[in-house]
Amino acid sequence: MDTYEFLADPRVLPLAERRDLATLHAVEQAEWLDRLSRLAEPAVTDPDFPAFLLALPPFADLGRRIGAAQRRIDLSTEIADELDWFVRAFADYLHTDQGEDAFAGERRR
């Protein structure tokens, strides 16, 4: 697999490569997934949600700004809003890459 250090938009990857990337970042996935269930609205309950993206360059800044927060109240309004956008935008990241629109308002199924 190629390195994704300079990947500007993780949505450009085909679905198979997304899943490979998720496997490669299983540790980061485990670290972030549980926390996101407490930090985001709506709460992240899908075990396939790509929480690991917060450890990759495109979203590492958001991950750093979230810092050690364990509860939503620990986040500033700006960071909470950005995190909520991230959760909505990437809800189907490991399910589909057809017609993807990061600004779509609802989760596609």
Side-chain angles (χ1 to χ4, degrees), residues 3-109:
T3 180
Y4 296 104
E5 288 187 8
F6 301 105
L7 185 62
D9 187 348
R11 293 168 295 158
V12 301
L13 295 174
L15 187 56
E17 288 185 40
R18 293 174 185 201
R19 291 181 177 152
D20 290 345
L21 190 61
T23 300
L24 184 65
H25 292 282
V27 171
E28 292 87 347
Q29 176 72 3
E31 290 173 356
W32 277 107
L33 190 61
D34 181 56
R35 284 181 64 204
L36 288 182
S37 69
R38 295 185 305 275
L39 294 174
E41 287 183 7
V44 174
T45 57
D46 181 354
D48 288 334
F49 180 82
F52 69 91
L53 290 174
L54 289 168
L56 300 183
F59 297 105
D61 182 59
L62 175 58
R64 278 190 296 278
R65 289 185 287 129
I66 291 170
Q70 294 295 319
R71 301 169 303 155
R72 187 164 178 90
I73 198 166
D74 299 332
L75 300 173
S76 71
T77 301
E78 177 186 352
I79 294 170
D81 287 347
E82 188 173 347
L83 181 60
D84 293 346
W85 171 87
F86 171 80
V87 168
R88 284 188 305 272
F90 288 91
D92 284 334
Y93 184 75
L94 295 175
H95 298 286
T96 184
D97 61 1
Q98 300 300 307
E100 186 172 60
D101 177 4
F103 300 100
E106 295 185 25
R107 183 180 169 118
R108 296 175 306 275
R109 283 281 177 209

